[in-house]
């Protein structure tokens, strides 16, 4: 379903003294607000994967989080916190007059969406947690399991480079690349919006909050865990996870078991962390069914 579409509206908002750029597709009565992953990625890859839902009667909104894309890029590491991004998200919602939204968070955007839903429960109609987690220490153990499939010698090599801080060594980067093709996007050629976001990555925000790559969490979110708080979320929830996702089905199940009864889960077969590109037929119909069930 996905295709690249020019936005119907482009807004330059002033939030906390900085410029944040938002994009709007369609003008339907129900709003899907998308929070993309990273941290530090422009919203291109998630925006282009969901703007097509304007064809289904939804107003789709995405924005370049501070430090990314067309938004301002201040050089201040103190800005890279989940708490500040929660307030930024609320400021975008209010500035655009979106009302209560269907909130879709992908990857890091899912962590942000969980904290947002807990802080502003009245602002959401439903919550879509796509390829994300609610317990970072549990994720760390899952990532070790995925890395172990590379073999003990490769894992030992990676750990040696991590101890030395030599994350840019060719042999270490080769191992990360292999993991990326197994667990981030399994397509032989990655879609243009994905490459565009990756080529414009703000690694300062990423390193501060997460770490040097997708398989090592040492930033300020490494101890983040909202499993004890998930029972407080009263909005309908859809969890999406790729069969081979780096943020694994076990992480998705951990969220589902902690949420109130009725949370749905869609395990997308033959996909990893980008199911909307890897297996559109496994991704879009369940998402649309959920959105139509909870709209109105």
């Amino acid at each position: 379903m996905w295709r690249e579409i020019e936005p119907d509206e482009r807004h330059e908002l002033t939030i906390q003294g900085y410029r944040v750029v938002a994009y709007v597709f369609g003008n339907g009565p129900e709003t899907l607000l998308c929070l993309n992953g990273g941290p530090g990625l422009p919203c291109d890859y998630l925006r282009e994967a969901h703007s097509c839902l304007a064809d289904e009667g939804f107003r789709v909104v995405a924005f370049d989080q501070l430090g990314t894309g067309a938004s301002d890029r201040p050089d201040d590491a103190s800005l890279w916190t989940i708490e500040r991004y929660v307030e930024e998200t609320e400021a975008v919602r209010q500035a655009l007059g979106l009302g209560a939204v269907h909130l879709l968070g992908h990857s890091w955007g899912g962590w942000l969406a969980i904290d947002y839903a807990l802080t502003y429960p009245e602002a959401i109609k439903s919550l879509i947690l796509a390829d994300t987690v609610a317990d970072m220490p549990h994720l760390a153990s899952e990532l070790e399991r995925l890395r172990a499939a590379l073999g003990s010698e490769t894992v030992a090599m990676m750990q040696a480079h991590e101890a030395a801080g030599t994350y840019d060594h060719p042999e270490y980067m080769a191992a990360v690349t292999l993991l990326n093709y197994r667990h981030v996007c399994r397509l032989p050629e990655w879609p243009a919006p994905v490459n565009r976001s990756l080529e414009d990555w703000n690694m300062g925000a990423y390193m501060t909050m997460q770490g040097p790559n997708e398989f090592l969490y040492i930033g300020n979110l490494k101890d983040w865990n909202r499993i004890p708080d998930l029972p407080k979320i009263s909005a309908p929830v859809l969890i999406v996870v790729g069969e081979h996702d780096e943020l694994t089905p076990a992480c998705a199940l951990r969220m589902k078991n902690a949420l109130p009864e009725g949370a749905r889960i869609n395990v997308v077969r033959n996909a990893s962390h980008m199911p909307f590109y890897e297996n559109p037929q496994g991704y879009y119909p369940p998402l649309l069914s959920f959105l139509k069930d909870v709209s109105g």
Side-chain angles (χ1 to χ4, degrees), residues 3-280:
R3 66 190 190 281
E4 300 210 43
I5 307 170
E6 286 296 315
D8 295 304
E9 304 169 28
R10 182 182 186 276
H11 298 270
E12 294 194 3
L13 310 173
T14 300
I15 295 175
Q16 301 168 341
Y18 298 103
R19 181 186 58 170
V20 172
V21 177
Y23 311 88
V24 180
F25 303 82
N27 57 3
E30 300 283 337
T31 298
L32 178 69
L33 177 58
C34 299
L35 302 178
N36 62 268
L41 284 178
C43 71
D44 300 47
Y45 84 91
L46 195 67
R47 180 186 70 208
E48 312 303 9
H50 292 85
S51 57
C52 59
L53 298 184
D55 297 343
E56 304 293 333
F58 292 91
R59 174 171 53 169
V60 180
V61 180
F63 65 96
D64 286 324
Q65 298 162 8
L66 185 66
T68 74
S71 296
D72 282 347
R73 301 193 183 202
D75 185 17
D76 180 358
S78 70
L79 294 168
W80 314 139
T81 69
I82 194 168
E83 295 82 7
R84 195 206 60 78
Y85 278 118
V86 165
E87 296 310 313
E88 176 179 287
T89 301
E90 174 62 2
V92 169
R93 188 186 71 88
Q94 291 198 19
L96 296 180
L98 301 181
V101 301
H102 304 281
L103 188 63
L104 188 155
H106 177 260
S107 195
W108 134 254
W111 318 334
L112 175 56
I114 290 170
D115 268 21
Y116 181 87
L118 291 167
T119 307
Y120 295 102
E122 73 287 348
I124 64 169
K125 287 187 174 182
S126 72
L127 184 61
I128 300 105
L129 300 174
D131 312 280
T132 193
V133 304
D135 181 345
M136 220 62 80
H138 176 244
L139 171 61
S141 68
E142 284 292 281
L143 293 174
E144 284 303 314
R145 181 175 62 79
L146 298 182
R147 282 159 49 124
L150 298 179
S152 59
E153 290 187 3
T154 299
V155 171
M157 174 272 291
M158 295 182 74
Q159 291 171 337
H161 283 298
E162 288 160 4
T166 49
Y167 307 118
D168 59 350
H169 191 283
E171 66 179 2
Y172 182 81
M173 293 178 67
V176 171
T177 297
L178 179 57
L179 288 168
N180 284 340
Y181 275 97
R182 286 184 179 183
H183 302 295
V184 177
C185 184
R186 294 169 72 88
L187 297 174
E189 293 187 17
W190 288 13
V194 175
N195 288 327
R196 197 160 61 239
S197 286
L198 293 175
E199 288 163 4
D200 196 21
W201 206 329
N202 181 343
M203 292 302 293
Y206 185 69
M207 281 290 295
T208 299
M209 299 180 75
Q210 179 165 318
N213 60 65
E214 289 295 283
F215 299 90
L216 181 63
Y217 284 66
I218 56 174
N220 63 29
L221 287 170
K222 65 182 173 62
D223 298 318
W224 181 86
N225 179 10
R226 288 293 178 267
I227 291 294
D229 300 312
L230 291 188
K232 302 174 186 175
I233 294 178
S234 59
V237 178
L238 171 66
I239 300 167
V240 183
V241 62
E243 179 183 10
H244 305 287
D245 209 318
E246 56 172 327
L247 277 56
T248 66
C251 296
L253 181 62
R254 187 161 172 77
M255 289 191 291
K256 185 178 188 300
N257 288 342
L259 285 161
E261 187 176 354
R264 303 185 195 179
I265 188 166
N266 174 27
V267 179
V268 184
R269 302 298 180 186
N270 301 314
S272 58
H273 199 54
M274 300 280 179
F276 28 83
Y277 293 118
E278 298 167 282
N279 182 0

